[in-house]
Amino acid sequence: MRLSLAWLRELLPAAAALSAADLSARLTAGGLEVEGLETIERVPGGLRQVVLGTVLTCIPHPDADRLRLTTVQVGPNSATDVRAIVCGAPNVAAGQRVVVALEGAELHPTGGDAPLVIKKSKIRGQASEGMICAEDELGLGTSHAGILVLTDADHLPDGTPAAQYFQLEAEEVLEIGLTPNRADAASHLGVARDLRALLAPEPAEIQWPAIADIKQSISHSATQSISHSVRVEVADPAAAPRYAGVSVLGVTVGPSPEWLQRRLRAIGVGPINNVVDATNYVLHELGQPLHAFDADKIADHQLTVRRTGEAVAFTTLDGVTRTLHPDDLVIADTAGPLVLAGVFGGQRAAVSATTTNVFLEAAYFDPTTVRRASQRHGLKTDSSFRNERGTDPNAVLVALRRAAHLLLEVAGGQIGADFQDHYPAPIGPHVVSFSPARATRLIGHELGEARMRQILDALEIEIANETADRWTLHVPAYRVDVTREADVVEDLLRIYGLDNVPLPAFASAPFVSPTPRPDPEALRTAVGQLLAGRGFHEIITSSLTWSGHYEAVGSQSQAAADEQQTTKNEQPTTRNETLVRIQNFNSAELNILRPTLLPPVLDVLRRNLNRRQPDLKLFEFGRTYQRKSSGKTVEAETLLLVLTGRREAENWLRKAEPVAFPDLASAVLDVLRRLGLPDPVQQVLPADHAYLTGGMTLHRAPNQPALATLGLLDARQAKKFDVEQPVWWAEIDWPGLVKPYAAAVTMRELPRFPEVRRDLSLVVDRAVTFAEIAAVARRTERKLLRDLQVFDVYEGDRLETGKKAVAVAFTLQDTEQTLTEKVIDGTMARLMQQLEKQVGAVVRR
C-alpha cells in the first residue's frame, strides 16, 4: 500500500517534525512495515539548489555588449548571501525578483538531452556564481525570450526554494507491506491513528479533513425538483448493515484539479474525472469505499440493495460481461443490477462526461459476502480489498460528507434533499475483558498501569469498567483485528516497542518439547549437507502456484493416486480434480497448492538461465498437495533434485562435460545410502510421467511404492518455462525414506578378512536391466555377496541383434573366515546358473 507523506502530515501535523526515515522506522517498529521510500519529482531534478532572489545591481559587461554583470541577493544575510552572476538576458534589471540556480544545481532544460549542472565559472574574464533562469532552463515551459521576472513574490524572502514558489515540491511516498489483519490501516487516516499512538506521550492530534454539512445544505434545498430524488431500499440488512447516500445535483464532470491528480498519481491511482477522483481520494484518505452513480440513469430513481437471486449478465466498468451468482449482493434499480456491492461498479449508471446529477453511496457491507463475490468473479479492487477485510461501520457518514464536500469543491453543484442512512442495528465496539497482570506476564516486562492506560487511550480503546484485577475494554469497531485479550496485549507491545523489552539474563521454558525419533530435521540437515558437498544449492519455492502448469499434463503421483483409489473401490479423480484449489487467492497466478515441486523449481531455473547462470545443481525439501475423490487433501513431503548445464567448470586439465543421468542417479543413491538403507534399490521400473522422457522409478522391493522417480525432463515441458537445455531431475519420497530409518541403521564390526572380486561378462537381451541382474544375484547369494557394479556395456555387430554384453564386477566377502577358491568358484557357479535361468544370461568366456 502506498502512502503520501505530505497527505499523512496533513492528517497528523505532529508528524511534520519527523523525517521520512524516522517515520518509516517508527511505523515499522509498530507493525506497519515500510518496504520502500520513493521520492517523486514533478520536474526532473526537483529544482534543488534553485531559489528566489533579488537583483541588487545590473551593469554592462566591459568586454561583451550583450552581457550584464549583476549582483543578486539569494538569502537573508546581506554579507554572505550575495552572488555575482553574469547574465545574457535582455530583460534583466536591478530590483527584479528572479529565480536563481546556485552552484551545484542540476537543471533539465526543456527539450534538452543532458542535464545542466551549475558551477562557478568565468565568462569573458568576469566571475559568475550561478545563473538567473529563464522558463525553459527550469524545465517549466518553452519560452527563452528572457529571464523569469516574478511579480507576485514580494511576500516571500530571498532564498525561498523555487519548488515551494511554483508548488513543485517533491512527493515522498512510503510503500507499506500491510498484513491482512490490519484492515484499519488501509488508509492515510488509519496510519495516522497508529502513528499518533506511536508518538505518545507527545501530544499528537488528528486533523480531520473538511466535510460538508449535509443537513444544513438540505435545509436550503427546498426549491429542488423532487424528480431528482433517489429512493433506497435495503432488502438484505444482514449483508448490508449500513447504507447511506445523497445526491449532488448540477455537477460539471471534467478533469480534476492538479493538486487532486497529483495526490492520486503519487499513490499509484490514475485520475479519471473529478467525480470518480473525489471518491477514490476519500477511499485512500479515510479507508471507506464509495460509489458514484449517474442519478439520471437510475431507472425510476429507485435503488434496492438485494441478492441477485438468479444468474444474470452484468457488464462491469472494465467492459467485461460477467454472469452474476444468485447469492451475489448487488445495488440494483428496477431494470437490474448496477453495482456488484462492495466490489465493482457497472457500466449502465456510470458517471460520464454528460453526467449532471450524481448519487453518492457509502456503505458497510458484510465482509464475508464481499469476499465471496470478489473470489467468484476474480475481481480484486481497492474497494473489495477494504470491504472484504472490514471497514468502519460508524465512519460511513463521515466519508459520505467528506466526498460531498470534495465534489462540491471540484465539480460544483449543490446537495440534494434525498439524504438517507439505513442503519437499523448500530454496530457497537468490541467488548474485551482484560487483565493488566496477565498482560505483564505475556509481555515479560512491567509496563505499568499508567503506561497501559496511555497506550489504550492513544489507540481509542476505552476502559469502560474496571475492578481490582480486570478491565472491561470497548475497542472501536474499525479495529476488526482486536477482539480478544491477546489482541490487546499485542497492541500494547507493538506500541510500547519490542525493542524496549529487555532480554532476561537467563531464558527458560516451563517444559522441554519431546524430539521425535528419528528426528526429521536432523535427517534433513544431514542430507542437505551431503548434497551441498556434491555442489548442490538448496532453494525454497512457494507452495502456492498456478493451476495452468498442471491442468494440461499428468503426473506419476496422479497415476499412483488413481491406483490407490481403485484398490479402495474409489473412483479415480481426473487431473484437474486432484488439484487443491485456493478459494480466497489474491492472485490468479497463485490459485492452487502445488501437486509437485517441479514447475516452481523450473521457474527458478528460468530466472537463473536468463541471468547467464547455465550450470545449476539445486535441491528442495517441500510439501506437495493432492485431493482424493473423497475430498480429503493429502500432504506429502518431497525431496527434489535438479541438474542442468556442465558437470564442472571449464579448466585447462580436462574438457567440461554436460551433466548426465549417472550424475543424477549417483546423487539419488547417495541420499538413500546416507539414510542407512542397505541395498536401497531392489527393483527399477520405467516411469510413465508427463515431465519425463524415458525416466525410471526406484523401489526397495517389488510391489512397493517408489522411493524415487528420476530421468530427463520432457523438452515440451521445459519449453513452457523457456528452458532450452537438458534438465535432469529426481523426486524422492522423503517419508518413505525416514519411516524405515530407525530400523535401517545398524552397526557392525569392521571386516577382518579380505574381499574378493570376480568379473563376469553377460550377454543378455537389451530389455534386461542391471536392476534385474542385481536382484537375481542378491537372491542367489545373500551371505557372501557384498556388492556388484556394472563397469562396461557393449552393443554392436559382434553380438546378435537385440543383445547386449554387460560386464559386472561381483565383490564377495566372508566376515568369519578367508574365502577359499573352492567357495568362490562354487558361489560364482551358482550365480551364473541362476542368471542364465532367470534372465537368460550367457556368460562370455
Side-chain angles (χ1 to χ4, degrees):
M1 184 182 73
R2 292 170 65 87
L3 287 173
S4 162
L5 275 187
W7 200 345
L8 187 63
R9 287 167 175 150
E10 279 184 12
L11 293 168
L12 189 70
L18 301 176
S19 67
D22 195 6
L23 279 173
S24 299
R26 292 188 185 231
L27 289 172
T28 299
L32 298 178
E33 183 179 0
V34 176
E35 298 178 338
L37 173 61
E38 180 184 358
T39 301
I40 300 174
E41 296 175 338
R42 295 192 58 205
V43 293
L47 298 185
R48 287 184 291 275
Q49 290 293 95
V50 181
V51 299
L52 304 191
T54 301
V55 180
L56 301 179
T57 64
C58 180
I59 61 175
H61 193 291
D63 298 321
D65 294 340
R66 295 186 179 181
L67 299 180
R68 301 288 186 273
L69 302 181
T70 68
T71 56
V72 184
Q73 182 82 34
V74 293
N77 193 313
S78 59
T80 60
D81 293 331
V82 176
R83 302 287 187 272
I85 299 176
V86 177
C87 180
N91 63 327
V92 65
Q96 292 174 335
R97 298 301 304 281
V98 293
V99 181
V100 182
L102 302 177
E103 180 185 3
E106 182 180 292
L107 303 180
H108 293 257
T110 302
D113 295 330
L116 174 64
V117 179
I118 305 302
K119 303 176 181 178
K120 287 184 179 181
S121 61
K122 281 193 174 183
I123 302 177
R124 295 290 183 94
Q126 299 295 323
S128 185
E129 303 173 300
M131 184 172 77
I132 305 175
C133 301
E135 178 182 285
D136 66 330
E137 292 167 337
L138 295 171
L140 302 180
T142 58
S143 173
H144 194 70
I147 60 169
L148 272 177
V149 179
L150 310 179
T151 59
D152 59 348
D154 293 341
H155 62 292
L156 296 174
D158 293 325
T160 299
Q164 178 181 331
Y165 170 77
F166 291 111
Q167 297 182 349
L168 296 175
E169 294 94 338
E171 188 89 32
E172 292 178 303
V173 177
L174 297 178
E175 184 78 34
I176 290 183
L178 195 64
T179 53
N181 63 311
R182 291 303 307 277
D184 64 291
S187 66
H188 287 76
L189 175 64
V191 175
R193 280 176 169 145
D194 237 35
L195 189 56
R196 175 183 60 181
L198 292 166
L199 294 178
E202 301 171 8
E205 293 297 326
I206 298 292
Q207 181 67 47
W208 285 86
I211 59 177
D213 190 334
I214 292 178
K215 292 184 178 180
Q216 184 179 4
S217 299
I218 290 175
S219 66
H220 296 292
S221 304
T223 59
Q224 295 179 86
S225 171
I226 195 68
S227 62
H228 293 297
S229 296
V230 175
R231 301 176 302 282
V232 175
E233 176 189 356
V234 179
D236 193 339
R242 189 171 194 181
Y243 190 95
V246 69
S247 291
V248 180
L249 309 176
V251 301
T252 301
V253 178
S256 296
E258 178 60 28
W259 68 266
L260 179 52
Q261 294 191 40
R262 186 169 67 250
R263 277 280 169 85
L264 293 178
R265 287 195 188 99
I267 60 174
V269 179
I272 298 175
N273 59 53
N274 47 8
V275 175
V276 176
D277 292 350
T279 61
N280 284 335
Y281 188 93
V282 174
L283 180 146
H284 289 279
E285 182 177 54
L286 304 182
Q288 172 62 54
L290 301 104
H291 185 73
F293 300 83
D294 185 327
D296 296 324
K297 295 178 182 177
I298 300 174
D300 299 324
H301 288 87
Q302 173 72 47
L303 291 178
T304 303
V305 185
R306 60 173 174 83
R307 303 281 181 171
T308 308
E310 58 181 346
V312 295
F314 177 65
T315 303
T316 45
L317 286 170
D318 56 3
V320 177
T321 299
R322 295 176 164 86
T323 301
L324 297 182
H325 189 274
D327 199 41
D328 286 340
L329 186 71
V330 295
I331 317 299
D333 60 10
T334 56
L338 297 175
V339 174
L340 182 56
V343 181
F344 209 18
Q347 282 192 339
R348 186 158 60 85
V351 172
S352 65
T354 60
T355 298
T356 56
N357 299 310
V358 170
F359 183 76
L360 281 177
E361 161 200 286
Y364 171 75
F365 297 111
D366 171 53
T368 301
T369 301
V370 175
R371 182 166 55 251
R372 287 173 178 168
S374 173
Q375 291 166 2
R376 280 190 200 107
H377 302 288
L379 285 170
K380 298 295 179 181
T381 63
D382 284 342
S383 291
S384 68
F385 177 85
R386 289 156 178 82
N387 281 316
E388 69 184 31
R389 285 162 174 80
T391 58
D392 184 3
N394 299 313
V396 168
L397 283 192
V398 175
L400 185 65
R401 294 166 66 188
R402 173 61 172 158
H405 172 86
L406 273 180
L407 206 52
L408 295 177
E409 179 181 341
V410 302
Q414 58 182 336
I415 294 178
D418 55 356
F419 166 72
Q420 45 215 299
D421 179 20
H422 297 267
Y423 196 20
I427 299 173
H430 311 303
V431 179
V432 177
S433 180
F434 174 77
S435 168
R438 176 170 168 76
T440 299
R441 289 197 303 272
L442 290 173
I443 293 172
H445 178 62
E446 181 66 56
L447 270 64
E449 286 194 8
R451 182 67 173 126
M452 289 184 185
R453 292 175 187 272
Q454 189 180 67
I455 294 174
L456 293 175
D457 181 64
L459 292 171
E460 300 181 358
I461 297 176
E462 178 190 354
I463 302 176
N465 188 28
E466 58 182 291
T467 62
D469 60 345
R470 298 204 74 82
W471 298 348
T472 300
L473 305 180
H474 284 181
V475 183
Y478 63 79
R479 288 304 306 275
V480 295
D481 61 320
V482 182
T483 58
R484 306 167 301 164
E485 183 183 51
D487 301 328
V488 176
V489 174
E490 180 186 348
D491 258 12
L492 289 172
L493 182 56
R494 69 180 184 84
I495 299 299
Y496 180 76
L498 288 167
D499 293 340
N500 295 325
V501 178
L503 291 175
F506 300 97
S508 62
F511 66 94
V512 177
S513 176
T515 302
R517 299 292 181 186
D519 184 356
E521 292 300 327
L523 295 182
R524 272 192 214 95
T525 301
V527 170
Q529 290 173 342
L530 167 71
L531 292 171
R534 293 181 60 102
F536 283 78
H537 290 84
E538 184 173 10
I539 61 174
I540 300 175
T541 61
S542 174
S543 294
L544 297 177
T545 185
W546 179 46
S547 59
H549 292 322
Y550 307 92
E551 288 173 335
V553 297
S555 67
Q556 178 65 26
S557 54
Q558 170 65 55
D562 288 349
E563 183 179 351
Q564 292 175 4
Q565 290 168 358
T566 302
T567 60
K568 298 178 182 178
N569 296 321
E570 295 181 9
Q571 289 298 319
T573 56
T574 65
R575 295 172 186 169
N576 293 349
E577 287 175 343
T578 64
L579 299 178
V580 181
R581 299 184 180 274
I582 304 299
Q583 294 185 355
N584 59 339
F585 59 84
N586 286 326
S587 169
E589 295 180 355
L590 301 173
N591 62 344
I592 65 165
L593 291 169
R594 60 190 177 192
T596 174
L597 300 180
L598 193 57
V601 173
L602 290 177
D603 222 14
V604 175
L605 279 185
R606 176 182 55 79
R607 287 197 297 272
N608 279 273
L609 293 174
N610 288 344
R611 288 158 179 78
R612 299 187 181 277
Q613 298 295 320
D615 306 324
L616 299 167
K617 294 181 180 180
L618 308 174
F619 75 94
E620 179 179 8
F621 288 99
R623 289 185 177 273
T624 59
Y625 308 82
Q626 288 197 350
R627 186 172 59 84
K628 292 186 175 181
S629 60
S630 61
K632 181 181 179 182
T633 298
V634 179
E635 296 184 26
E637 191 154 8
T638 304
L639 170 59
L640 183 76
L641 309 183
V642 172
L643 298 91
T644 187
R646 296 172 296 190
R647 180 178 292 117
E648 58 185 22
E650 282 184 308
N651 59 65
W652 63 273
L653 187 61
R654 64 178 64 88
K655 183 180 179 181
E657 297 179 348
V659 293
F661 178 78
D663 300 295
L664 176 67
S666 65
V668 172
L669 291 176
D670 275 358
V671 170
L672 302 185
R673 294 190 184 105
R674 179 62 184 84
L675 293 178
L677 297 179
D679 303 328
V681 179
Q682 299 293 329
Q683 185 181 44
V684 178
L685 297 176
D688 181 14
H689 197 297
Y691 287 103
L692 280 178
T693 298
M696 62 178 62
T697 59
L698 309 182
H699 304 258
R700 289 195 67 197
N703 301 320
Q704 286 195 4
L707 283 177
T709 302
L710 62 160
L712 180 65
L713 177 67
D714 184 88
R716 293 168 299 178
Q717 304 303 329
K719 188 175 182 181
K720 294 178 181 178
F721 292 86
D722 297 327
V723 176
E724 298 181 356
Q725 62 188 47
V727 176
W728 298 91
W729 67 272
E731 201 166 45
I732 300 174
D733 175 20
W734 183 249
L737 299 184
V738 173
K739 187 175 180 180
Y741 176 79
V745 176
T746 59
M747 292 179 288
R748 63 189 177 193
E749 183 183 1
L750 290 174
R752 292 180 295 166
F753 301 98
E755 61 184 29
V756 175
R757 168 173 166 164
R758 291 291 185 267
D759 298 342
L760 291 179
S761 180
L762 307 173
V763 177
V764 296
D765 291 339
R766 285 184 179 179
V768 174
T769 65
F770 172 68
E772 294 175 285
I773 295 173
V776 171
R778 293 186 189 282
R779 287 195 301 267
T780 302
E781 181 52 61
R782 299 179 184 273
K783 179 181 178 182
L784 300 182
L785 184 61
R786 292 287 173 264
D787 191 22
L788 69 162
Q789 295 289 338
V790 173
F791 63 88
D792 191 23
V793 176
Y794 172 76
E795 296 181 31
D797 54 8
R798 297 182 183 180
L799 297 176
E800 296 180 34
T801 303
K803 298 289 185 178
K804 65 182 177 181
V806 181
V808 183
F810 296 84
T811 301
L812 307 178
Q813 187 180 49
D814 194 329
T815 60
E816 299 176 355
Q817 60 185 353
T818 301
L819 291 172
T820 65
E821 287 297 325
K822 181 178 179 180
V823 173
I824 296 171
D825 291 343
T827 301
M828 296 306 298
R830 288 197 308 276
L831 288 172
M832 287 186 285
Q833 181 184 19
Q834 291 301 317
L835 288 170
E836 181 178 356
K837 180 179 179 181
Q838 296 189 40
V839 296
V842 176
V843 178
R844 297 178 71 188
R845 303 295 180 179

